[in-house]
Amino acid sequence: METGNNPEKSQVYMNLVDGGVCAPQGFLASGIRCGIKESAVKLDLALVYSPQPCTSAAVFTTNRVQAASVVVSREHNRDGKIRALIANSGNANACTGTAGLEAARRMADLAAEKLGHNAAEIAVASTGVIGVPLPIERIEAGIDPLADFLDPNGGEAALEAIMTTDTRKKFTAVEFTLDEKSTRPVRIGAMVKGSGMIHPNMATMICVITTDAAISAPLLDTALRRAVNRSFNRLTVDGDMSTNDMALVMANGSAGNPLIDSKSAAWETFASALETVCVGLAKAMARDGEGASRLLTVTVSGAASEEDAAALARSVAASSLVKTACFGADANWGRVVCALGYAGVPFKPEETSVEFASAVGSIPVCKNGEALPFSEEKAKQILLEEEIEIRVVAGSGEGRASAWGCDLTYDYVEINGDYRS
Amino acid sequence: METGNNPEKSQVYMNLVDGGVCAPQGFLASGIRCGIKESAVKLDLALVYSPQPCTSAAVFTTNRVQAASVVVSREHNRDGKIRALIANSGNANACTGTAGLEAARRMADLAAEKLGHNAAEIAVASTGVIGVPLPIERIEAGIDPLADFLDPNGGEAALEAIMTTDTRKKFTAVEFTLDEKSTRPVRIGAMVKGSGMIHPNMATMICVITTDAAISAPLLDTALRRAVNRSFNRLTVDGDMSTNDMALVMANGSAGNPLIDSKSAAWETFASALETVCVGLAKAMARDGEGASRLLTVTVSGAASEEDAAALARSVAASSLVKTACFGADANWGRVVCALGYAGVPFKPEETSVEFASAVGSIPVCKNGEALPFSEEKAKQILLEEEIEIRVVAGSGEGRASAWGCDLTYDYVEINGDYRS
């Protein structure tokens, strides 16, 4: 099944490697339990750190309500020199006023003091319940063990410590070379937290990416924005995000490559690899959608532009009626066409075709906007797979894009019916 | 509980009367089973008719994919002289190409011939599954009994014949006087079909309104648009609609009032009454949302304008996380503030307050964007009611609006998981 980019199919040849955010040289991480979560065993405080200075780039939520951690991290990232992230789960530190802002600054200060750096080099992230004061004293008590546990194998602990309703550990790392002559490989490692992907604009996403490439902050920023636009933003209904979302990339230059400071071939290679990593994580988030039983990829081609194709694909992937039909393995293509119709961008209904696909085969169900006769039995068989794709041709344009989502299930309702309890 | 306009509280004094669309003088209706639905007992073909000529107004879906019935009805309504509606359930006649368009025209022709009028005076509506050819021969076979059953008490049968997943019959009728001197009362009757209100932009809404007021088509149109904007459009995520949505009003002048042909006091009275009727039906649709166990009213005040307030209210009412929290009777106000944040219109988080309310009381939970201490027990008690309200003050502006929705439940998933089977 063709479900968009993945490491195996990327134009950049790359190997998957172990270690997550610690896979690139020179990164350490740790995760501990400091008592913010009620659970007696779950980790809730994480640190990712490069002893060597980094360049950095970050994108943040566009929600008008912004968590204190977002305010502080945006401020600190202004110079593009973030080298460490301290993050907690169990409390979003959002809608917590001046005290919340002070608590977020205190988190950065604690990490800065302990690591011996300026607070401006520390990013902060929080995820969990909104509107509850952050128990900063628990983080104060936890900072020593958190730093003590820093380790080149600490990626998994750090990831566990930022998870909330996530049911899977979502991380990856790749190795590749920037150009044919290059002998020294470059690595990108990443982890992501977030699983409320049914309405992703309200699910906190924390994505931490590390790389040992040497790349200037502005070029890192450009690469990150393109990658996020083609991955995490294609999980969303409308590009909006939660109060706490952030994606951060730190580059420490340990790979020893010539500094990437222009849109060279090396930059293109790096940016493509970064995009592949982000797409992989985005799909992992969709697969781990709250209560999800199926990963849904919607691929739209034939649109007037990539942006239009993305809007059409997102509209289908976000439709509750399409999602429930996926849950029921019901080839209800009318709902697909209907969702295209309210995506808010032009397309040609009379030239539109729809096909359902999965590992066991594909079946065209609509051509030129009208029903095709098809075997309901075969369609059911295709849609019962864990990964399904809806392929739409929306005209004869060049625009093509995929969006990712998941089905809407009883479990989603159960998980969110009383999340705070 | 204050849940927006309702007949009792309207500025226009009006009485509720029986009869639905047949309550206004001179309207007949019927509903029969012609065999479009698989059920052996459910009605599926409806007719509403005024033997006297009417002025008419209608609004249609803004979806780029439009059902054949929408194309035909829009065309026929151009002169504002619709006097009859023929409607079927069990098949949406959407994405059915040229044959579908011919079938929709045939429906109008059948009614026109039988009733002895021009087809241009007949509106057509269809609701049900998309992409399946309409079995027009069953409507051809049904047209004689359909017309034979026309009756001044036929409103309920007509309503049953346009229902699909609706669980309640949603209709109303009111009587009022256009001005103090007037002795002859005017009536407005209405029925509505539609219950997929969790994603209302994909749920067919068919709203049929009748009145015996004498009012010119342009003034009727202005009144209908304002009423729809303040009612059905406040149920929706973004103002988009399904492939089949329509709201039609027919006015036959039987009440004998002086023709309303300017924005007079009488027009204002009529328009207010029409708005009250539409708001009542919109709330009934939310209450009958697929799988819904609670009616949710979101009222936003203090916004910069009515439009901004409506956008903020809709964003909260449409949030899956708010909806599931309502299902769980969970006072999770953070999700409310978060949904305000991505509504796409400006507001002041730092001046925002949130209160939950129902028949048993109200409880403030957030003030100036921060948590207030509150009794979880009392909040639960309030939220366990069947009608709940979320009241938001979003600043110090004059803009105020309500939006309506329902909770998201296991039953929604069940109903939509395999709707076609």
Side-chain angles (χ1 to χ4, degrees):
Chain A
M1 180 178 62
E2 172 64 57
T3 53
N5 297 335
N6 63 43
E8 291 78 12
K9 295 193 180 174
S10 169
Q11 291 174 303
V12 180
Y13 182 75
M14 56 181 76
N15 293 316
L16 288 169
V17 292
D18 291 332
V21 291
C22 289
Q25 292 176 62
F27 282 93
L28 309 171
S30 63
I32 65 160
R33 175 183 170 272
C34 76
I36 299 173
K37 283 181 182 161
E38 280 179 27
S39 159
V41 292
K42 287 186 180 168
L43 306 187
D44 52 16
L45 191 61
L47 188 61
V48 179
Y49 171 53
S50 167
Q52 295 166 74
C54 289
T55 57
S56 67
V59 294
F60 299 97
T61 180
T62 58
N63 196 302
R64 283 168 202 264
V65 179
Q66 307 223 330
S69 57
V70 167
V71 173
V72 170
S73 293
R74 179 181 280 120
E75 206 175 287
H76 289 187
N77 185 57
R78 209 151 284 158
D79 297 334
K81 292 181 180 169
I82 298 292
R83 65 158 80 191
L85 168 81
I86 180 168
N88 74 276
S89 57
N91 186 308
N93 194 18
C95 300
T96 44
T98 316
L101 199 58
E102 276 169 21
R105 291 198 196 289
R106 181 83 180 118
M107 278 175 77
D109 288 344
L110 286 167
E113 282 161 28
K114 189 68 194 172
L115 300 171
H117 299 296
N118 193 308
E121 291 175 277
I122 316 292
V124 180
S126 296
T127 178
V129 173
I130 294 177
V132 175
L134 181 69
I136 186 69
E137 68 286 354
R138 296 182 200 169
I139 297 176
E140 285 168 344
I143 190 70
D144 282 347
L146 183 68
D148 293 345
F149 277 110
L150 275 172
D151 188 279
N153 296 313
E156 193 165 341
L159 174 52
E160 281 185 33
I162 61 170
M163 287 165 65
T164 55
T165 53
D166 305 69
T167 64
R168 304 181 196 210
K169 294 177 189 171
K170 298 176 283 285
F171 63 96
T172 189
V174 297
E175 184 177 86
F176 56 99
T177 53
L178 287 169
D179 57 67
E180 286 168 14
K181 296 161 293 182
S182 174
T183 51
R184 283 200 271 192
V186 163
R187 287 183 167 193
I188 297 177
M191 63 181 188
V192 73
K193 175 267 153 187
S195 77
M197 296 316 304
I198 295 222
H199 254 220
N201 45 10
M202 290 186 74
T204 296
M205 179 189 85
I206 298 173
C207 177
V208 186
I209 307 168
T210 54
T211 178
D212 47 21
I215 178 169
S216 75
L219 273 294
L220 190 59
D221 184 74
T222 312
L224 180 66
R225 283 175 197 280
R226 189 178 81 174
V228 168
N229 186 40
R230 291 180 173 169
S231 57
F232 305 119
N233 284 353
R234 301 231 170 129
L235 275 168
T236 72
V237 176
D238 52 11
D240 287 327
M241 294 175 166
S242 91
T243 55
N244 288 54
D245 289 342
M246 74 181 258
L248 169 73
V249 53
M250 299 180 279
N252 68 7
S254 295
N257 62 292
L259 179 73
I260 300 172
D261 59 359
S262 70
K263 281 201 174 175
S264 58
W267 178 85
E268 188 57 56
T269 300
F270 176 83
S272 296
L274 186 65
E275 183 179 321
T276 301
V277 163
C278 289
V279 167
L281 293 177
K283 288 173 66 177
M285 288 174 81
R287 192 180 285 114
D288 197 22
E290 284 172 348
S293 71
R294 299 186 212 296
L295 167 64
L296 169 63
T297 300
V298 181
T299 301
V300 173
S301 60
S305 66
E306 182 185 336
E307 290 67 35
D308 282 5
L312 291 163
R314 271 201 303 259
S315 186
V316 174
S319 155
S320 287
L321 289 172
V322 171
K323 283 166 176 287
T324 44
C326 287
F327 173 58
D330 179 18
N332 198 325
W333 62 269
R335 294 179 178 178
V336 174
V337 174
C338 190
L340 294 170
Y342 63 72
V345 299
F347 77 107
K348 297 187 176 161
E350 69 283 5
E351 291 181 19
T352 293
S353 69
V354 180
E355 182 176 291
F356 292 103
S358 73
V360 299
S362 67
I363 192 163
V365 290
C366 166
K367 192 177 176 184
N368 296 333
E370 293 183 42
L372 289 174
F374 66 91
S375 153
E376 291 278 355
E377 199 183 342
K378 188 180 169 198
K380 192 101 188 167
Q381 203 183 345
I382 287 166
L383 293 173
L384 280 171
E385 290 293 299
E386 266 188 33
E387 299 199 5
I388 60 178
E389 183 176 20
I390 300 175
R391 297 174 186 161
V392 173
V393 181
S396 49
E398 296 292 314
R400 182 188 168 90
S402 291
W404 298 278
C406 60
D407 56 347
L408 174 53
T409 69
Y410 298 113
D411 288 349
Y412 175 80
V413 178
E414 183 169 12
I415 291 167
N416 287 298
D418 198 6
Y419 170 65
R420 298 183 316 153
S421 311
Chain B
M1 182 177 62
E2 172 63 57
T3 52
N5 296 335
N6 63 42
E8 291 78 13
K9 294 192 180 177
S10 169
Q11 290 175 303
V12 180
Y13 182 75
M14 56 181 77
N15 293 316
L16 287 169
V17 292
D18 291 332
V21 290
C22 290
Q25 291 177 62
F27 282 93
L28 309 172
S30 63
I32 65 160
R33 175 181 170 272
C34 75
I36 299 174
K37 284 181 182 163
E38 280 178 26
S39 159
V41 292
K42 287 186 180 168
L43 307 187
D44 52 17
L45 191 61
L47 188 60
V48 179
Y49 172 54
S50 167
Q52 294 166 74
C54 288
T55 56
S56 67
V59 292
F60 299 98
T61 181
T62 57
N63 196 303
R64 284 168 201 263
V65 179
Q66 307 223 330
S69 58
V70 167
V71 174
V72 170
S73 293
R74 180 183 278 119
E75 206 175 287
H76 288 188
N77 185 58
R78 207 152 285 159
D79 298 334
K81 292 180 180 169
I82 299 292
R83 64 158 82 192
L85 168 82
I86 180 167
N88 74 276
S89 55
N91 186 308
N93 194 18
C95 300
T96 44
T98 316
L101 198 59
E102 275 169 20
R105 291 198 197 289
R106 181 82 180 120
M107 278 175 76
D109 288 344
L110 286 167
E113 282 161 26
K114 188 69 195 171
L115 300 171
H117 299 296
N118 194 308
E121 291 175 276
I122 316 292
V124 181
S126 296
T127 178
V129 172
I130 293 177
V132 175
L134 182 68
I136 187 69
E137 68 286 356
R138 295 183 201 167
I139 298 176
E140 284 167 345
I143 191 71
D144 282 347
L146 184 69
D148 292 346
F149 277 109
L150 276 172
D151 188 279
N153 296 313
E156 193 165 341
L159 173 52
E160 280 185 33
I162 61 170
M163 287 166 64
T164 56
T165 53
D166 306 69
T167 64
R168 303 181 196 211
K169 294 177 190 171
K170 297 176 283 284
F171 63 96
T172 188
V174 296
E175 183 178 86
F176 57 100
T177 52
L178 286 170
D179 58 65
E180 286 170 12
K181 294 161 293 184
S182 175
T183 50
R184 285 200 271 192
V186 163
R187 288 183 167 193
I188 297 177
M191 64 181 188
V192 73
K193 176 269 154 187
S195 78
M197 297 315 305
I198 295 225
H199 254 221
N201 43 10
M202 292 185 73
T204 297
M205 179 188 86
I206 298 174
C207 176
V208 186
I209 308 169
T210 54
T211 179
D212 48 20
I215 177 169
S216 75
L219 273 294
L220 189 58
D221 184 74
T222 312
L224 180 65
R225 283 174 197 281
R226 189 177 82 175
V228 167
N229 186 40
R230 290 180 174 169
S231 57
F232 304 120
N233 285 352
R234 301 231 171 129
L235 275 168
T236 72
V237 176
D238 52 11
D240 287 327
M241 293 175 167
S242 89
T243 55
N244 288 54
D245 288 343
M246 73 181 258
L248 169 73
V249 53
M250 298 180 278
N252 67 7
S254 295
N257 62 292
L259 179 72
I260 301 171
D261 60 357
S262 70
K263 280 202 174 173
S264 58
W267 178 84
E268 188 57 57
T269 300
F270 176 83
S272 295
L274 186 65
E275 184 179 319
T276 301
V277 163
C278 290
V279 167
L281 292 177
K283 289 172 66 177
M285 288 174 82
R287 192 179 286 113
D288 197 22
E290 284 172 347
S293 71
R294 299 186 212 296
L295 167 65
L296 169 63
T297 300
V298 180
T299 302
V300 173
S301 59
S305 65
E306 182 185 335
E307 290 68 34
D308 283 5
L312 291 163
R314 271 199 303 259
S315 186
V316 174
S319 155
S320 287
L321 290 172
V322 170
K323 284 167 174 289
T324 45
C326 287
F327 174 57
D330 179 18
N332 198 326
W333 62 268
R335 294 178 179 179
V336 174
V337 174
C338 190
L340 295 170
Y342 64 71
V345 299
F347 77 107
K348 298 188 176 160
E350 70 282 5
E351 291 181 18
T352 293
S353 70
V354 180
E355 182 175 291
F356 292 102
S358 73
V360 300
S362 66
I363 192 162
V365 290
C366 166
K367 192 177 175 183
N368 296 331
E370 293 182 41
L372 289 174
F374 66 91
S375 154
E376 291 278 356
E377 200 185 340
K378 188 180 170 198
K380 193 103 189 166
Q381 203 183 343
I382 287 167
L383 293 173
L384 280 171
E385 291 292 300
E386 266 187 33
E387 299 199 6
I388 60 177
E389 184 175 19
I390 300 175
R391 297 175 186 161
V392 173
V393 180
S396 49
E398 297 292 314
R400 182 188 168 90
S402 291
W404 298 278
C406 60
D407 55 348
L408 173 54
T409 69
Y410 297 113
D411 288 349
Y412 175 82
V413 178
E414 183 169 12
I415 290 167
N416 287 297
D418 198 5
Y419 170 66
R420 298 183 315 154
S421 311

